[in-house]
Amino acid sequence: MDAVNPEHSPSALTHLRQDGSAQMVDVSGKTETTREATATATVRTTDEVLGLLGSGGLPKGDALAVARVAGIMAAKKTPELIPLCHPLPLSKVTVDFELGTDSVAILATVKTRGVTGVEMEALTAASVAALSVYDMIKAVDKHAVLTDIKVLAKSGGKSGDWTL
């Protein structure tokens, strides 16, 4: 058990069995509620690239439209990408962008009615949208940086609502 943090006994960690091996959490006894999570990611780039993003003048085309669809698709594929995530019936996924002076902020919100939260789906949507923006701009900025990927808010479920 050397790999397990001594502050957490295996029985207290829901994704670990007593012997320390991984398991998918049993959520069958949880109450179904409306659950929502919002995550963000940032792509840092140059003002020239931001101008091209805003005008649709990138060599590969409309990067934000492509990234929006990529983020939505990624949210739907989260349990195929992240081990131990439950497949969820997503009722809504939005991916929005805000062009700043040196970056593109990506905001992904995911909603479901279910027995477990959608934080991983929101994080996956924001992350893949950021990767897609990078892919679309790399011809004009190979030094763009993806950063600040985090959950901003969640609602629903036993643990309640919170905002960063």
Side-chain angles (χ1 to χ4, degrees):
M1 289 290 218
D2 295 346
V4 176
N5 184 332
E7 294 178 355
H8 302 287
S9 70
S11 62
L13 299 174
T14 59
H15 285 79
L16 293 180
R17 296 187 300 199
Q18 280 299 111
D19 67 359
S21 60
Q23 71 176 351
M24 188 174 197
V25 176
D26 180 0
V27 295
S28 61
K30 293 175 78 176
T31 302
E32 186 176 286
T33 63
T34 299
R35 296 159 185 265
E36 185 171 283
T38 300
T40 188
T42 301
V43 180
R44 300 212 182 280
T45 187
T46 66
D47 58 348
E48 175 191 356
V49 171
L50 290 165
L52 293 170
L53 276 169
S55 69
L58 287 166
K60 287 188 171 186
D62 188 346
L64 301 183
V66 170
R68 178 173 284 116
V69 173
I72 292 167
M73 290 174 62
K76 293 165 43 173
K77 297 287 189 179
T78 299
E80 295 175 33
L81 300 169
I82 309 296
L84 310 180
C85 278
H86 292 85
L88 301 173
L90 303 183
S91 54
K92 183 178 181 181
V93 179
T94 60
V95 178
D96 294 303
F97 306 93
E98 184 178 320
L99 300 179
T101 57
D102 66 347
S103 63
V104 179
I106 300 160
L107 198 65
T109 300
V110 180
K111 188 175 185 178
T112 192
R113 177 127 181 102
V115 295
T116 191
V118 287
E119 295 91 342
M120 293 308 300
E121 287 75 7
L123 284 165
T124 301
S127 299
V128 171
L131 289 166
S132 185
V133 168
Y134 179 86
D135 182 50
M136 296 292 287
I137 68 173
K138 69 184 179 193
V140 291
D141 183 6
K142 291 175 181 31
H143 302 287
V145 175
L146 281 59
T147 186
D148 299 321
I149 300 167
K150 59 189 168 195
V151 176
L152 296 177
K154 69 143 298 273
S155 64
K158 187 173 86 172
S159 63
D161 302 353
W162 65 266
T163 303
L164 184 65

